[in-house]
Each structure stands twice: as structure tokens, then as C-alpha cells.
Amino acid sequence: MPQASETSALARLSRVNLVRYLPQLIILALLGLAWSLYGALTGGSFLLPRPDEVVEVLGADFAKIFESIGASGLLLGLSSLIALVLGVLMGMLCGQFERLKGAVLPIARVLAPIPSLIYAPYAVAIVGDFFWAAVFVIASGLFWPVLFNTVNAIEDISDELINSARTLNLPTRTMFAWVMLPHCLPYLFNTLSVQVSNAFLLLVGAEMMGMRSGVGWYVKYWADYSNFTTVFAGIVVIAVIVFVVNILLEKFRDRVLSWK
Amino acid sequence: MAADEAITTPRSTGSARADEAITTPRPTGSARAGSTAVFSDRPAKIRVKGVALSYRNNTSSTAVLSDLSFDVAEGEFVSLIGASGCGKSTTLSLLAGLRMPDSGEVHIDGVPVTGTGKDRSVVFQHYALFPWMRARRNVEFGIRQVSDAPKREIAAKAAYYLKRVGLEGKEALYPHQLSGGMQQRVAIARALAMETEILLMDEPFGAVDAKTRVVLQDLLLELLQEQERKRTVVFVTHDIDEALLLSDRVLFMNAQRISKVIEVPFEHPKKRHEIAQTLVYRELRKEIFDMFYEDEGEYLASGI
């Protein structure tokens, strides 16, 4: 009996997901159809290959693509984590100390719009290691939006809730970990989902500086050889990764913010 | 507490204002009209003396409290009642330690209040629960701040109090899944479970519907009655019936201070229907009602 209900729950879940993603799936299918049609009619061209050619590359170069996905994942994951931790910490401190906020925010507003890829040569010169220079470039690009949104979140916290927390005599650490941080989480998830595309732009840029694998490097490398079939394969891979990252982020958010 | 024992006696205090305050004529007949009752004759758990407070911004300053004095005996239930803006919530925030007076003294057990403390728990009108914690966690979180008991004990105590406020089976819900009345039940459970000596309540039933309010008032009475050690309670409200039902004494606030002290002579356990039938109740109710309007002349003007 429990098994039966489990199955039905699973069926319900997949039905919900299917309905939820149906419009996206239809658009993808139409794009695929148009591409296939183009391939069948023209036989493909130098700049825009046929889908079967791309699929062939994906199969043939599987090992290198797989390695690149891993390398990019590590780079992006580490950079995002560093940006999140530093941004949230700094944001909370700014939220707590008006003076610090007054000192930091005007400077931050000037620094934030500067594309962090500009720092790349300096980062390489200072850090001396391509991987960590890339981490620095991506993390510093993501740091600002995290900082601004955390400051914003702390400003939004209601006096009633703060007073309630104060009457419980919370130690500072508990106040940060169990009141401030959870309050900021919805803001942070919003920031992350907006910044996913920004993160991939930064990733591709950062991987051009001396890396030897990674999805951004892969596309750039084969574009330099004008091998557009392989470039296309790389673009498909990036598209799939972005799609999956977005879905995972959404799932993770729904799980963490179940109290909303 | 028998009604006659509750008669307050004049006390010589440093506060001139205190002497000006007038008690209600005793409805029981043993009246001592004109006696001072801002300070009770029992040892004070809470004492507020000559407190003044203004809200300031860059351009102006608004006096909220001036020469506010009263005390609350151990185990006493005192209501602060008055029109909105009379400073009753501000007074409670002073007792909670969320705000400091410009001048004057706020003492608890003879010690000046310098901030929030583990001897006090507070129930607010709303937005006091943490939205990211389930009902159970909200209560446990409160207990943990005042107790070093092992996890299992804290969990058991939280479960007990949630059950007592009628939320059995709802422990795992988040605040947004609970109605306003149920959220207040959780807040009350948390405050009681912390087992602090002093309970401060700032219009805790002000935002719930009339029917729920009656249920919650009765629940609060029942829960306070069954406590081993009687809590000292300061309760802010603008509801006359609520004040009369719950309190041992009602302090009427007007013009930034206590303008009148009313002894409530009903014996515990109070029964809403029984006391509402009595003449005393109706007289007290009318007296407070009139006080709400006498200053402004609103009563006559509005033609109620």
C-alpha cells in the first residue's frame, strides 16, 4: 500500500514538472526542428553546421568536453562561494554599523560598474596563478551584487522582528546566524538567479586567460581555429549547463525557502 | 486575592505626581476616596519613578512620557490602558529594556534596567515569530536563550506549551501557515515556556478577530492561573473588558502619565460571564469608558 501511494506521488510530481516546463520544451523542440529542416534543405554551411555534425563532435570529443565541464564547474562554484561568503559578511557588517556603510557604499558604487575582466592582467601578475586569477575575476564580478542586495535586505528587516529578537537576549552570533542570515536568504536567491547569466559571461572571459580546459576556453579555442562545428557543440553544452544550473537553483531555493 | 486586601494605602513617595493620582471610589463600599495608589503597598517587582521620554528627530521633539510613576507587585497582573498615543506601548518598551528613559528610573527587583534581560519575556501584537522557524522551533529557540537544559528537555517543554495553547499537531507548521490567532498562541507559548518571572504583553490580542480574542483571553487567564509560581504581568491594551477581565489593577494613562489607578476586586478564578453580570463590573467599565472621553470632550461632541 505505501508503495502504491509512493508511485502515485512520483507520477504526480513528474506530471507537474512536465506541465511546468512544457512551454520551454515546445520552444526547444521547435528550434531543433527548424535547425534540422535547415540542415536537410541546405546541407549545412561553414558558419552554421548541421545538427548531426554537431552531435557527431559531441560524441567524438566527449572526454575533453566532460573535463571542461568539470573544470568550469569547479571555477564557477568556488568563485560564487567566495563572492557569496564575502559579500554577505560585508553586507551584514554594513547593515549593522552605519559608519562602515557610509564609508563602504559610495566606494562600492564606483567600483561595481567596472567590468572585473579588466582586472585580469593585474590578477595574473599579483596572484601568479591562472586558476586563482580567474577565481578572483569571477568572484569580484559577483561580489558587488551580493553586497548590495545583502545591505538592502538588512535595511528591509522589520523593527518588530528585531525587537522580538532583542527581547530574547540573543548573543550577537545567534543574531547573525539565526535572524539576519535567514532573513537575507530570499534576497540572495534572487541575486543568484539574476546573476547566473552574468556569471557565465565572466566565466568565458576568465577562461580565456591561460586556462587549458573549461567550456568557455573550449568555445574560444575552436573559434580561433575557425572550427565552427566544434564551436557549436560547445555552445550547446553551455546552453544545457545554464539550463540545468537554473533548474537546480530553483529546486534548491524552493527547498531552502519552504518557509516563505 | 480578597477584594478588601487589595485596597491600596497612601504612601509617601518622592513623586509629587503620584500623590495627585486618585483611586477610584471603592465600589464595594469600603471606599477610601482620594487615596493614592500609583505605588501599591506590596513589595515592588517593577518600579517606575519619574520617568520622562521624548521622541526626537532633527527638527522637533515630542514628549511621550513625563513624570510617569507606578509600580507592580510580584505576581500581580497590571494593565496599562489608554487612548492610542498615550505612551502605553512606549512604557512597555522601557520595561522590556528596548528603550531607555531620558530621565527617571525603571527598576526591576530594585536593580535599574539597562537593557533586555533573561528575567523578562515579551509578547508583541504581531511579527514576533521568526518566519523561517517552524512553530516548535520558535518556542525551542526562546527557551534555549534562558535555559541550558538538554535538547530533549527543551523539546519536551516546547511540545508541552504548544499543546497547552491548543496547537497540538501544528508544531511542524511555519508561521505563514498559521492564522493570526494561532501565531499569537505560539508567541504566548514561547513567552510562557521561557518561564521568566515577568511577562510583558503589548496588545497581544489587538490584531486578532473578536471571537479569537475571547478565546485567547480565557486561555491566558487559565495558563497564568495554573503556573506554580505566579508571574508578574504588565499588559498593554485599549480594550476595557479585556483589562477588567485579566487584571488585578488597571492603570489608566493619559497626558503622558498614569492618571488613574483602578483596583479590580474580582477573585480568581475569574469567570467572564459571572463578573460581567455584577454591578461593580458595570460601574468600573463605565468609569473607564468615561475617562477615555472626558479630556477631549469627545464624548459629548460625538453624541454617542
Side-chain angles (χ1 to χ4, degrees), chain A residues 164 166 168-170 178-179 182 259, chain B residues 116-117 128 131-132 145 176 190:
Chain A
S164 175
R166 283 177 63 199
L168 290 177
N169 294 296
L170 302 184
W178 289 104
V179 181
W259 51 270
Chain B
T116 58
W132 42 85
Q145 308 313 321
H176 83 273
R190 181 173 72 184

Side-chain angles (χ1 to χ4, degrees), chain B residues 238-272:
Chain B
H238 54 245
D239 182 327
I240 300 173
D241 292 304
E242 183 168 87
L244 287 175
L245 174 71
L246 298 174
S247 327
D248 302 320
R249 258 192 320 152
V250 177
L251 309 183
F252 190 86
M253 279 189 79
N254 191 14
Q256 303 153 20
R257 60 180 69 89
I258 308 290
S259 66
K260 195 128 178 173
V261 178
I262 297 127
E263 293 284 339
V264 183
F266 308 110
E267 273 179 61
H268 287 284
K270 295 186 191 177
K271 290 279 187 296
R272 177 188 302 276

